Amino acid sequence: MSVGKLKIVFLIGKDDASTQSTIARVCQSRYVEPLAILLDTARNPPSRRWRNLKRNIRREGLAYIPHRLTVALREKLESLADRVIPRQQVEELIHKAFPERGLTALASRYNFPVFEAGNLNEAPAIDYLRSLQADLGIVLGTRILKRAAFSVPAQGCVNLHKGKVPEYRGMPPGFWELFDGQEAAGVTVHLVDDGLDTGDVFGTGDIPIHPKETPESLRRKLDEEGARVMAEVVDQIALGTATREPQPQTTYKARTRPTREQTTELARRLPHWRRLGDLRQAIKTAVWLLIFHGGVFSLVRRLHAGKSRGAILLYHRVNDISEDVLTASTRRFAEHLVTLRHYYRTAKTEDIVDSIASRSPLMPTTVAIHFDDCYQDVRTCAAPLLAAAGLPAMTFVSSGFVGTDRVFSHDSAKYPQRFPNLDAQDLCELPPLGVSVAAHTVNHVDLGSIGLDQARIEVEESGRCLAQLTSCPVDLFSFPFGRLDNIREEVREMVMTAGYRGLFSAHGGFINEGTSLFDIPRFGVSSDHSPLALMMELEGISIKHVKAWLRSAFR
């Protein structure tokens, strides 16, 4: 280890992506020597949980009791539903795809231990912390630390608080700024003292609040800004250039977790904030479990066993920065891949097209994986998981977005995040990872409404450009938006004339040897689909499929 570096220790409350990102940013500094991570692993004792329950009943009334029971029921049912796939396989797949992620990987990379410390305020953790002889402690999302713990490092501890002090001491990050109608939110790195977020300030950061922000999206932005500010402050402390500003005297009280009434009020003001009720989720999960374990699922699969049957899952994004109907998280996508490996047959899209073209039956139920648009996380998040799982996929790319900062209109209108686009190098790296490239127009236009001359350019130039970029043939096409009214027969003829072998839609439905090559259906999936819900979709017994069947039956 180099002499003269600032010896630091991390005191953390949980192992999550935000914590890992901050630790990685700090450890990249040439001015620090990381000694260890102390992970608080202690659960609150029953007496503390009982006090919390009584406090919440005082705040919200007796109605809080059935609410907590509903939450507990939902969590128990979801835990049971998780068992339909081997959870260990999900963890192994994520680790294989992203070996550099996680606390263990960070500790190995920078050569320091991870100590599961129990309660950070108790003797085993304090004794271990004292043995490290650290210069500085970095506190990330822990319980409130007592002086016996935070005073052990020679220069004390600094805390990353995801809020602007003194106005937004306390918790949770981002919620109260939105509730108060603020135009910006902030992060603060401050010295830990005996109060709650009251110590001297070393550094701050601000981010604007987007009109379509939600508490979750704002929290992720605060996570990113917090990692940046913490790394900057630690460098300044190491170099001796840091300045400390005492917080002003204030009458502001520390913020606390919002009540259900306050959360409902914020949701009313933010109609774009998607929130699924606990009772509704519990009922839905209970129904899926009854279908799965009650024999209906097995019966439906036996009925499908002798039929030619395929399905195409349509994704758009795979990342951990957004929660919306076009996004699957990396963990959820890994769960989907394990589900497909465990219960279904997966195939290359090219082979499915060949079967349709030759009127050859498909094995039941054959599944293909698609992505639409031009999102870079197909390369950075989805492709590593697909390669690790050994499953093929295809991405349909709007060629005019490749290597640009252009934003899809459906994103700019709805979401507060910016999603980077694929570049030329990404496109070349996808086929070796098992992800084929296909066409999705140049500018992601509605082929059902634009002029026919413009439509011809969009159809022909997209495939030509992508073939040049990848040095691979591009002979499959999907039309943007994907509903029946987004394409006309004249455009369908253009797709055929341009040399494409198949055309994909997104209005739902299954595939067999009688499917039209120029209207191959797909249905969209996202993080909203648990593994059990995904299986219901693939067997045609989800709520959506049942509603569609009832409409057709009684039309």
Side-chain angles (χ1 to χ4, degrees):
M1 294 289 184
S2 302
V3 177
K5 291 188 175 184
L6 184 73
K7 295 184 290 184
I8 59 173
V9 60
F10 297 96
L11 296 90
I12 69 173
K14 56 184 177 180
D15 177 7
D16 60 15
S18 171
T19 299
Q20 294 166 23
S21 174
T22 303
I23 293 173
R25 288 286 292 267
V26 172
C27 288
Q28 288 166 9
S29 171
R30 64 179 185 273
Y31 305 118
V32 304
E33 177 187 327
L35 301 178
I37 294 173
L38 276 71
L39 174 61
D40 192 314
T41 55
R43 294 189 61 194
N44 287 330
S47 59
R48 174 66 180 276
R49 296 200 291 273
W50 175 243
R51 288 197 301 272
N52 290 342
L53 177 61
K54 290 193 293 184
R55 184 180 68 248
N56 285 318
I57 292 174
R58 284 196 300 272
R59 294 178 69 207
E60 304 197 37
L62 291 175
Y64 183 76
I65 296 176
H67 164 68
R68 282 305 307 167
L69 291 173
T70 301
V71 171
L73 174 63
R74 175 185 60 77
E75 291 174 345
K76 180 60 178 177
L77 289 170
E78 289 177 351
S79 175
L80 292 172
D82 282 346
R83 300 178 189 176
V84 301
I85 59 172
R87 307 308 300 181
Q88 183 60 32
Q89 289 186 19
V90 176
E91 300 300 329
E92 291 170 354
L93 180 60
I94 293 172
H95 178 70
K96 184 177 179 181
F98 308 109
E100 74 285 357
R101 296 188 184 182
L103 286 185
T104 302
L106 274 173
S108 175
R109 189 183 315 153
Y110 294 103
N111 193 30
F112 59 79
V114 177
F115 177 63
E116 295 188 358
N119 189 323
L120 289 173
N121 288 317
E122 293 182 352
I126 293 171
D127 289 343
Y128 182 75
L129 181 59
R130 189 174 291 113
S131 73
L132 295 171
Q133 298 183 333
D135 298 317
L136 182 71
I138 296 175
V139 179
L140 303 172
T142 68
R143 67 182 71 233
I144 297 174
L145 296 182
K146 298 179 180 177
R147 178 167 290 273
F150 70 70
S151 64
V152 171
Q155 298 183 42
C157 292
V158 292
N159 175 59
L160 173 56
H161 176 63
K162 292 164 186 174
K164 204 100 180 258
V165 297
E167 297 94 329
Y168 292 100
R169 293 170 176 161
M171 60 173 300
F175 181 91
W176 293 110
E177 289 89 339
L178 287 170
F179 192 86
D180 293 343
Q182 298 288 357
E183 295 182 354
V187 299
T188 307
V189 174
H190 64 83
L191 190 70
V192 179
D193 63 9
D194 295 302
L196 177 59
D197 302 324
T198 57
D200 293 352
V201 174
F202 280 96
T204 62
D206 292 283
I207 55 172
I209 294 178
H210 190 278
K212 294 295 186 179
E213 211 77 74
T214 68
E216 292 81 13
S217 67
L218 185 54
R219 169 62 185 268
R220 287 178 171 86
K221 292 179 180 180
L222 292 170
D223 290 345
E224 185 176 345
E225 178 68 2
R228 184 195 68 79
V229 174
M230 177 61 83
E232 186 178 272
V233 166
V234 171
D235 272 357
Q236 291 170 354
I237 294 173
L239 294 169
T241 61
T243 58
R244 291 167 45 176
E245 294 289 337
Q247 293 190 39
Q249 294 295 319
T250 181
T251 58
Y252 287 114
K253 293 183 179 180
R255 307 291 179 128
T256 59
R257 189 180 301 278
T259 63
R260 287 181 297 128
E261 182 179 352
Q262 289 166 328
T263 302
T264 301
E265 169 61 19
L266 181 59
R268 185 186 65 79
R269 295 188 224 158
L270 305 177
H272 54 275
W273 185 19
R274 298 172 63 246
R275 298 173 62 243
L276 300 176
D278 292 303
L279 181 59
R280 180 182 175 186
Q281 284 296 97
I283 293 172
K284 184 184 292 187
T285 305
V287 171
W288 294 160
L289 285 168
L290 284 172
I291 290 173
F292 184 78
H293 292 291
V296 176
F297 182 80
S298 297
L299 174 62
V300 171
R301 285 176 67 84
R302 286 197 296 272
L303 292 174
H304 292 157
K307 297 179 179 179
S308 170
R309 191 171 187 274
I312 299 178
L313 303 180
L314 173 59
Y315 298 86
H316 285 77
R317 299 186 285 262
V318 177
N319 64 56
D320 296 317
I321 64 172
S322 60
E323 294 181 9
D324 55 69
V325 295
L326 295 184
T327 303
S329 69
T330 51
R331 176 167 292 277
R332 182 66 91 197
F333 188 60
E335 291 173 346
H336 287 182
L337 298 184
V338 170
T339 303
L340 295 180
R341 286 198 311 188
H342 204 69
Y343 290 97
Y344 297 96
R345 301 173 180 85
T346 54
K348 292 182 178 180
T349 299
E350 297 89 338
D351 294 340
I352 290 178
V353 171
D354 287 343
S355 293
I356 296 173
S358 63
R359 300 302 181 195
S360 301
L362 296 167
M363 296 291 287
T365 293
T366 300
V367 180
I369 298 170
H370 283 190
F371 301 90
D372 270 5
D373 298 348
C374 187
Y375 298 109
Q376 192 175 46
D377 56 39
V378 173
R379 167 63 187 88
T380 57
C381 297
L385 285 165
L386 287 160
L391 299 181
M394 176 168 283
T395 184
F396 292 80
V397 178
S398 295
S399 59
F401 287 75
V402 175
T404 74
D405 293 328
R406 292 179 64 183
V407 178
F408 288 94
S409 59
H410 54 266
D411 290 338
S412 61
K414 294 182 180 180
Y415 306 121
Q417 301 93 348
R418 290 292 296 270
F419 304 104
N421 293 322
L422 292 160
D423 59 29
Q425 181 176 342
D426 294 323
L427 289 177
C428 293
E429 291 174 350
L430 283 171
L433 294 171
V435 182
S436 304
V437 176
H440 194 52
T441 74
V442 177
N443 296 297
H444 199 268
V445 295
D446 181 0
L447 293 171
S449 62
I450 64 172
L452 293 179
D453 289 341
Q454 183 184 354
R456 181 173 287 102
I457 294 172
E458 292 284 340
V459 167
E460 295 176 355
E461 288 300 318
S462 178
R464 184 180 299 119
C465 177
L466 293 169
Q468 290 175 349
L469 289 172
T470 61
S471 299
C472 296
V474 174
D475 57 6
L476 295 174
F477 188 92
S478 72
F479 60 92
F481 309 105
R483 299 183 303 272
L484 289 171
D485 59 351
N486 295 128
I487 195 165
R488 293 165 287 178
E489 191 58 38
E490 299 95 327
V491 178
R492 202 185 308 273
E493 292 291 336
M494 289 178 190
V495 173
M496 298 172 63
T497 303
Y500 295 103
R501 296 195 303 132
L503 173 64
F504 295 86
S505 59
H507 51 77
F510 294 92
I511 303 167
N512 57 41
E513 70 274 16
T515 297
S516 168
L517 275 173
F518 290 87
D519 185 12
I520 304 175
R522 306 176 295 176
F523 56 83
V525 287
S526 67
S527 279
D528 289 351
H529 293 79
S530 68
L532 195 52
L534 179 67
M535 291 159 64
M536 299 300 152
E537 289 278 7
L538 289 170
E539 298 305 330
I541 50 178
S542 70
I543 292 174
K544 178 177 68 178
H545 289 301
V546 171
K547 285 181 177 178
W549 181 83
L550 289 173
R551 282 196 300 268
S552 63
F554 294 99
R555 185 173 297 168

